[in-house]
Each structure stands twice: as structure tokens, then as C-alpha cells.
Amino acid sequence: MGGLFSEDSILIRFLNRFTDYLWLGIMTAIGCLPVITLGVSFSSLFYCCNKMVKKEDTHLTDTFMKAYKA
């Protein structure tokens, strides 16, 4: 049935989402360093957050980079 540290526990799901959002924040901050790419970086962040809400996210870094390049 699982315990506190099983993959389906609420603690692990929270920590996974927290680290996903933290990583998105880091990638967005790096993308914003050249001020010209500020809009592109925030658009990619928005795209990835929408994918996460719809539970379509598989590879966060790949999705962010594809949206950044598009």
C-alpha cells in the first residue's frame, strides 16, 4: 500500500512538483539573462506550466527548450 516515501504518496508528489517548478524558474532566469529574450523565456515558462497543469509533461527540459526555440 505504500508509506510516506512511496511514489504515490502526497509528500513525494509535492516534492516532485516543487522541484519541477524550481527547475523551471532556474531555466527561465538563465533565459532572461540577455534582456532581449525576456519575452521568449516567459512564454516558454507559460507553455511548460500549461503542460504541467494538463498532466502532459514528460520531459520538462526538452519541452522548455523546444518552446524556447519555437
Side-chain angles (χ1 to χ4, degrees), residues 10-54:
I10 193 163
L11 176 67
I12 298 300
R13 285 185 290 165
F14 170 76
L15 289 175
N16 282 336
R17 282 292 173 181
F18 179 75
T19 55
D20 285 346
Y21 286 124
L22 183 67
W23 180 240
L24 270 176
I26 291 170
M27 287 191 298
T28 303
I30 290 171
C32 289
L33 285 179
V35 177
I36 298 169
T37 61
L38 187 74
V40 176
S41 186
F42 280 120
S43 296
S44 300
L45 174 69
F46 181 73
Y47 179 77
C48 287
C49 286
N50 278 338
K51 288 281 191 180
M52 289 175 71
V53 167
K54 293 178 183 177

